[in-house]
Every structure is written in C-alpha cells, then in structure tokens.
Amino acid sequence: MDKSPYKAANQAVNHAAGSTGQTAVQTMGQAAGQKSGQIPAGSSDQPNAFMHYQRKEPGYRNVKERLRDYKAVELMFNREEIQHQSMRCMDCGTPFCHAYGCPISNVIPEFNEFVCRGKWKEALSILLSTNNFPEFTARVCPAPCEAACVAGLNSDPVTIRQIELAVIENGFNKGYLEPRPPLKYSGKKAAVIGSGPAGLTVADTINRAGHKTTVFESAKYPGGILRYGIPNFKLEKWVVERRIKLMEREGVLFETGIIAGDDISFRYLKNRFDVICLACGASRPRDLQIPGRGLNNIVFAMDYLVAQNKRLNSEPIDLLEEISAKGKSVVVIGGGDTGSDCLGTALRQGAREVFQLEILPQPPETRPTTTPWPTYPNILKETHAHREGGQRCFAVTTKEFSGKNNNVNKLFCAKVEWRVQEDGGLVPVELAESEFEIEAELVILAMGFIGPGKNKIVDDLKLTLDKRGNIKADADHMTSCDGLFVAGDMTTGQSLIVRAMANGQKTAKQMIKYLETRH
C-alpha cells in the first residue's frame, strides 16, 4: 500500500486529493467531559443538557474480530447512555430534524422526551406513528435528521439514529410489537410486486387499513435489497425475517419465487386484485463502457453483494454468481455506500488488497458553505469498512481495462480535476502526466443505478416513462394504466431506503383512497 500507484500519481501532479487524513469518529468512552450522576426527569427539565452531555457514538466491534465474520459491526448503547443522549435534544420550537431532515417526518423531539423520562412504550408509539420499520432505518439510514439537528449548528447533533434503534429494539424485546391484524377486512384485495423497502411499506400500510394484501417476490425469500443487497454486517437478516414474520401474522401474504409478468400475467393480477402496485426498485446498474469492459471478473456491485448474501443464507449459487475476492487484488469503482459495502465484503472474503476509486474530489472534513445547515453536508464520510482496510482514491477516472487469458489483470487510470464550465457546470478534466496503473484480479462496478430493470408488465402495458427511464406516475402515484400504481426507486430513481419508504407511504395512501372509491 505504501508504494501505491495512486499515491505516485498524486505526487506527479502535486495534487493531494485522497491522501489527507480522515475524520475520526468518537467511540464509547471518548465523550470527555460528560457529567455523571443521576439522570434528570427529562430534557424539558434541563433544556441546556446538550451543553453538559457530549455526543457519543457507540463504536464498533474490534476490527480483527469483525473481519472474521459477517455479524453486525456496530455496537449499541446501554439504557443509561441512550437516556443521556436523548437529553441532548433541545426541544426546539421548530424541529428541523422532523420537518426538514426526516423523509418520513419522524416526531423526533417527542420520542426523545419519552426516552429521557424512561417511558419507552410511549416513545415506541410515537415512533411507529410515522415509521413502518424503524429497525431498518435505524441501522442503514445515513440520518439526514441529524444533519438538520439544531444542536449541530454550534455543537454536535443528537444521536437520533441510535435512539431510534434503542426504542424499536426495546419494543421487540419487551413484547410491545405483538401482531395487530385488522379487526375486519373490507373484502378488497391489493397486490404488491416487489418486497423491498417500498413494497413492504405499501403492503404494511394497506393491510393495516383493512384491505387484504399479497406481496409477490421473484427471489426465494422476501426483503428485496434489505435481504439480498445490504451486507449482514450492516443489517443482519434475522432483523428482516423478524419483520416479515410479524407482517405475516398480521395478515400480509407473501408469494415468493414468482416473476410477475412471466410466471403470472398482468391479466391474472387484474382479475384477482382490485389494485396493484409495482415496487421493483432501480435495478439497472450504471456501466463503464471503456476498452476491456468485456473481460471476465469485472462485475456489478449488486451481483457481487447478492451472491455473498445468498452464500451466507445457504441459497444455491450458479457458476455465474460465484464471485469471490479471496487472495485477489480488488478494485471497487464507485465511492458511495454500495462501494463501501463491497470493500467490507472483499476484506471479509480475504482479498489481498482493495482499492476504492471515486471520480469526485475528496470532500472536506468540515461542513462547506455549499451545503449549509440544515442540508445534508458534503463532508468526508468514513464508514466502518474504511477503518478495516483498503485504500480510498479520489478524483480518479478509469480509462481502460487490460487482461490476460480473457481475465482482467490491470486498470489504466488518471487523476482528474473538476473545472467550472461557461454554463456553470462542473466537468472532470484529466490532468497531464497523471496516468497510473493498478493491478486487479477482480473489478467491482459500484457506480449507482440508472433506472428500473427490464420488466415484462411495464413493456406489455407500454407504461409511460419519464426522461430518465423511470416509471412515470401522476400526482396520485398511479401509472398510465388505471389501477396500477408505482412506488419507490422504480419511479423516483435510486435513493435512500428511507425515501423509498416515504414514497411507499404516500403511494399506499393513494391506493387506499382508490379502493374506497370502488364499490
């Protein structure tokens, strides 16, 4: 790593992007200056508690330990620590965390108050009033609510995500989340195609409204990206299974191993259901069409992550899915969360070395003026995977792949500089004499998604698409086909899981309204 070709290229152009120090994250026991003693009755009794209790992070399991397994890496606070953190909530007159930061409008100051007072059941009730699945968002959401926290203006924001996690897990542990099926069903039926975050949210919301709901999923098990795309070390699958079982006990039906449009036709669905929703996600990955792209061992991130999740779940994997980083030099192209997931997975598989390339420049370590509070800050984000190993390389473009015996063995790269154009836009410009090479036996493309994948129902019905190729929906979240709705990334484009859930909630409400107008 010390003789990295990327570092050599940096020196060649005297450009320091990607090689500066990285922001450290506090772990348990590092909240220096935190006062000890009895917990006051509540945050309203001590409105300046954020001045006395510093923000803490729960930290992670030891690196050497967690690299030997795929279990969750993040630790959890104990009850006293969570109550201390909830006391930091300022009880703002205008809670930007709720009104601006959170896509599903979690009522954050209120559940903080209840947690602070030890009223966990009441806190859970408040949380569930807006959030169908807090156990998912509390584990994988990047917490835009914290970016909008008023305490973050001059200090550190409240650890909202950790408090949310404590509330929902306490609810499950105490048995507060018992099955609550509708007292009576309306006799009308809804079909949801896809069981990712949006599909599950639609199904849960419609079922609770008293309409019998069936979810169709092409995979062996329901959960979509929650089960197959996100690694276990971020979201263990027992968490997903626990929620699916609860939904089943509340009346939702799951039909798996069924490809809607192929195994069952739209006519079949239309004849048996009063309303239908497409929620198949954004599954068409962005590709890199450069010389050498056709070589073997250049794979898409989701294919790589799905294969590993199937392997851990003892699901059959065909030869095309058999992808492993063991003993290999690995390059991940794409600097986002999916790229980080690939990095963490490759390290656990025993990769010899891992590079993560990002074409964008390295973000600053503090909030820049271009993303002022309460917007989500463009700052250097260091995930747990980045602390486990590998090397991050910013402002890098990949120009060509080369190979031997039809297998990739090298990348030809160059440093870029982002320059402002006459129209105000930014474009990457390759820097002179900045070319370098990276040896690689496995290349993982993690550059995001550009729309929904091929879908026979969409094609057969000739549904209207927007300019980006997503399914176009009207103000009521309905497609160009009457009675056929669409939710999540399939219509909005790739986004956060919490945003897919928010869109699913809105779509479900319109579907319920549609059902109520049908006699």
Side-chain angles (χ1 to χ4, degrees):
M1 291 296 183
D2 293 336
K3 296 182 180 180
S4 161
Y6 170 75
K7 288 185 177 179
N10 275 346
Q11 295 169 358
V13 297
N14 194 26
H15 195 71
S19 62
T20 58
Q22 297 173 332
T23 304
V25 177
Q26 287 182 307
T27 57
M28 294 179 66
Q30 290 182 314
Q34 177 173 322
K35 289 191 174 183
S36 61
Q38 187 175 0
I39 301 172
S43 59
S44 60
D45 298 327
Q46 193 181 25
N48 62 345
F50 67 96
M51 299 173 63
H52 301 289
Y53 291 93
Q54 293 185 2
R55 175 187 170 98
K56 284 181 63 178
E57 300 284 350
Y60 301 96
R61 292 191 294 130
N62 179 271
V63 171
K64 291 183 179 179
E65 172 191 321
R66 68 189 195 235
L67 281 178
R68 292 196 294 265
D69 60 43
Y70 289 85
K71 296 178 182 178
V73 299
E74 191 172 36
L75 301 173
M76 288 184 64
F77 285 125
N78 62 38
R79 180 167 293 203
E80 182 180 32
E81 289 169 325
I82 279 292
Q83 289 182 293
H84 283 168
Q85 292 303 300
S86 68
M87 287 170 56
R88 298 190 70 250
C89 183
M90 299 172 65
D91 193 24
C92 308
T94 304
F96 282 81
C97 58
H98 157 77
Y100 182 89
C102 181
I104 51 178
S105 300
N106 280 340
V107 192
I108 295 164
E110 281 75 4
F111 72 64
N112 277 337
E113 179 72 18
F114 281 123
V115 168
C116 184
R117 293 178 178 275
K119 296 182 178 293
W120 293 85
K121 193 170 186 178
E122 290 83 354
L124 178 65
S125 179
I126 289 290
L127 179 57
L128 292 176
S129 69
T130 57
N131 192 336
N132 297 71
F133 313 122
E135 68 270 33
F136 301 153
T137 54
R139 285 177 166 88
V140 300
C141 183
C145 55
E146 295 185 15
C149 175
V150 175
L153 271 169
N154 299 304
S155 178
D156 293 319
V158 176
T159 51
I160 299 169
R161 184 176 63 84
Q162 287 295 331
I163 297 169
E164 180 181 326
L165 180 59
V167 171
I168 187 62
E169 289 306 314
N170 181 76
F172 274 110
N173 292 336
K174 294 291 186 180
Y176 297 153
L177 281 94
E178 297 177 348
R180 292 182 175 85
L183 296 177
K184 182 180 179 181
Y185 279 104
S186 66
K188 296 176 182 177
K189 297 187 293 184
V192 179
I193 302 171
S195 65
L200 291 180
T201 302
V202 170
D204 185 60
T205 305
I206 293 179
N207 180 69
R208 291 180 185 278
H211 306 296
K212 199 66 180 177
T213 306
T214 301
V215 179
F216 295 93
E217 169 57 52
S218 61
K220 186 176 181 179
Y221 299 103
I225 193 172
L226 298 168
R227 180 183 284 271
Y228 290 101
I230 299 173
N232 282 23
F233 49 75
K234 285 176 64 175
L235 178 63
E236 291 182 302
K237 302 318 164 201
W238 64 264
V239 178
V240 181
E241 292 167 359
R242 180 180 63 182
R243 175 57 69 169
I244 296 297
K245 289 178 181 177
L246 180 59
M247 292 178 67
E248 288 177 329
R249 293 172 67 186
E250 291 181 332
V252 177
L253 300 176
F254 288 92
E255 297 285 349
T256 59
I258 294 176
I259 301 176
D262 291 333
D263 299 326
I264 53 175
S265 66
F266 179 74
R267 176 183 291 183
Y268 173 93
L269 294 168
K270 191 70 173 175
N271 289 338
R272 287 163 176 78
F273 295 93
D274 300 286
V275 67
I276 304 167
C277 179
L278 292 172
C280 305
S283 57
R284 185 155 59 101
R286 179 175 283 105
D287 207 342
L288 190 61
Q289 296 298 343
I290 58 176
R293 174 62 182 87
L295 292 167
N296 295 328
N297 295 329
I298 301 175
V299 301
F300 288 116
M302 204 50 61
D303 294 336
Y304 176 65
L305 296 173
V306 168
Q308 179 57 32
N309 278 325
K310 283 185 175 181
R311 190 179 292 114
L312 292 174
N313 198 43
S314 299
E315 290 188 49
I317 301 175
D318 59 37
L319 290 177
L320 294 177
E321 293 179 312
E322 189 56 54
I323 311 165
S324 176
K326 186 175 182 179
K328 297 177 181 177
S329 176
V330 180
V331 173
V332 180
I333 300 179
D337 286 339
T338 301
S340 170
D341 292 345
C342 293
L343 168 62
T345 301
L347 292 172
R348 283 161 177 76
Q349 288 181 344
R352 188 172 73 253
E353 60 180 354
V354 185
F355 291 88
Q356 184 180 9
L357 311 185
E358 170 58 66
I359 195 170
L360 294 173
Q362 179 173 323
E365 295 187 8
T366 57
R367 185 191 285 268
T369 56
T370 53
T371 53
W373 178 89
T375 60
Y376 195 77
N378 177 34
I379 58 176
L380 183 65
K381 180 180 179 183
E382 187 182 49
T383 70
H384 71 87
H386 296 134
R387 302 183 187 97
E388 294 169 353
Q391 181 179 326
R392 303 172 77 181
C393 311
F394 292 92
V396 170
T397 184
T398 304
K399 302 171 64 177
E400 183 179 349
F401 300 114
S402 72
K404 185 177 182 180
N405 299 326
N406 208 34
N407 293 317
V408 68
N409 70 351
K410 189 177 295 184
L411 284 75
F412 294 92
C413 305
K415 294 302 304 292
V416 298
E417 183 177 75
W418 288 78
R419 297 177 182 172
V420 180
Q421 303 300 292
E422 291 183 359
D423 60 1
L426 291 172
V427 296
V429 177
E430 183 180 333
L431 294 172
E433 299 182 2
S434 68
E435 298 87 354
F436 63 96
E437 302 173 3
I438 302 179
E439 293 184 0
E441 297 150 287
L442 174 63
V443 177
I444 304 171
L445 305 180
M447 302 177 295
F449 300 86
I450 55 176
K454 189 170 181 59
N455 186 288
K456 197 169 188 303
I457 289 179
V458 174
D459 294 340
D460 289 350
L461 296 178
K462 295 181 172 56
L463 296 182
T464 303
L465 308 179
D466 63 18
K467 293 180 180 179
R468 299 172 60 190
N470 300 314
I471 311 301
K472 191 172 183 179
D474 62 18
D476 295 329
H477 297 255
M478 191 187 296
T479 69
S480 52
C481 176
D482 183 64
L484 178 60
F485 291 75
V486 62
D489 290 3
M490 203 173 189
T491 183
T492 64
Q494 178 190 1
S495 189
L496 303 176
I497 282 175
V498 69
R499 295 194 188 282
M501 289 172 54
N503 187 265
Q505 289 178 347
K506 295 174 183 177
T507 302
K509 290 176 182 178
Q510 293 302 322
M511 293 171 68
I512 293 168
K513 185 177 179 181
Y514 178 88
L515 288 171
E516 291 173 347
T517 61
R518 297 297 187 271
H519 300 289

